[in-house]
Amino acid sequence: MSTPCYCGSGKDYAECCEPIITGKISAPTAESLMRARYSAYCVKDLDFLRRSVSEQDGYDEDAVRDWADSSVWNGLTIHSVKDGQESDKSGEVEFSAEYEYKGQKLTHRELSYFSRQDGNWIYTHGRVRRGNETVRRESPKVGRNDPCPCGSGKKFKKCCGRA
């Protein structure tokens, strides 16, 4: 009987994350390690979670165990991947994990950083993403009386700036 992989890849667990978690194969990409780490929380494989991080002295096994044991994992969404391919030395994966913790529905959104050490992908650290993060503009802000950037020829306030 096949089990769909917890990571949401659409593959069977036995063909997707399980071989990475059990150590039969190394994660080929940073994203595949991220997916395997999520699946490891689902199956409560604390040994894999410990082995897949770079700094063991900051690893809180009791907190990881509590989070894994007390949570119902409802889904993983990968938002973006930067580098982290087989030929790269580092990579970034931004993801959201939907879960219920002690009866409360929550979302953990994180930008995770990975590096390749001795040929294996390792989770180095992560930055939790909050909903109200500062937005940095690539271009200058459009003023009300400036021409609309959509190219209509109208002022911004009479076109796309109309609220």
Side-chain angles (χ1 to χ4, degrees):
M1 183 171 139
S2 65
T3 301
C5 195
Y6 304 97
C7 77
S9 67
K11 299 176 187 174
D12 287 340
Y13 175 65
E15 298 170 359
C16 188
C17 290
E18 184 179 44
I20 297 169
I21 292 170
T22 59
K24 290 180 183 172
I25 65 169
S26 294
T29 64
E31 180 181 353
S32 62
L33 180 63
M34 175 63 248
R35 289 179 177 279
R37 285 181 52 78
Y38 173 82
S39 292
Y41 273 101
C42 295
V43 298
K44 298 171 181 43
D45 192 319
L46 302 179
D47 185 47
F48 174 77
L49 290 168
R50 184 179 49 255
R51 285 191 333 263
S52 63
V53 298
S54 65
E55 296 296 325
Q56 299 298 320
D57 49 329
Y59 183 78
D60 186 346
E61 188 161 354
D62 291 334
V64 171
R65 178 180 291 110
D66 179 55
W67 200 21
D69 287 343
S70 301
S71 298
V72 176
W73 302 94
N74 297 322
L76 175 70
T77 302
I78 303 293
H79 298 288
S80 66
V81 177
K82 180 180 176 189
D83 301 326
Q85 301 305 308
E86 292 183 44
S87 60
D88 293 324
K89 296 203 183 307
S90 64
E92 300 174 8
V93 179
E94 185 170 357
F95 72 95
S96 292
E98 303 288 331
Y99 66 104
E100 292 177 40
Y101 183 74
K102 298 182 179 178
Q104 185 178 7
K105 289 185 179 192
L106 300 165
T107 300
H108 175 82
R109 186 163 182 160
E110 180 178 313
L111 178 58
S112 294
Y113 298 90
F114 300 86
S115 69
R116 201 182 271 282
Q117 297 177 4
D118 299 324
N120 296 311
W121 283 106
I122 298 291
Y123 171 83
T124 59
H125 64 287
R127 195 173 88 222
V128 175
R129 307 288 291 219
R130 306 275 185 227
N132 297 330
E133 290 197 12
T134 302
V135 175
R136 297 192 197 299
R137 298 180 194 280
E138 296 291 321
S139 58
K141 184 177 177 181
V142 178
R144 291 176 34 83
N145 290 314
D146 291 341
C148 191
C150 76
S152 67
K154 297 179 182 178
K155 289 184 178 184
F156 179 69
K157 68 182 178 185
K158 295 284 187 177
C159 190
C160 295
R162 192 176 248 172

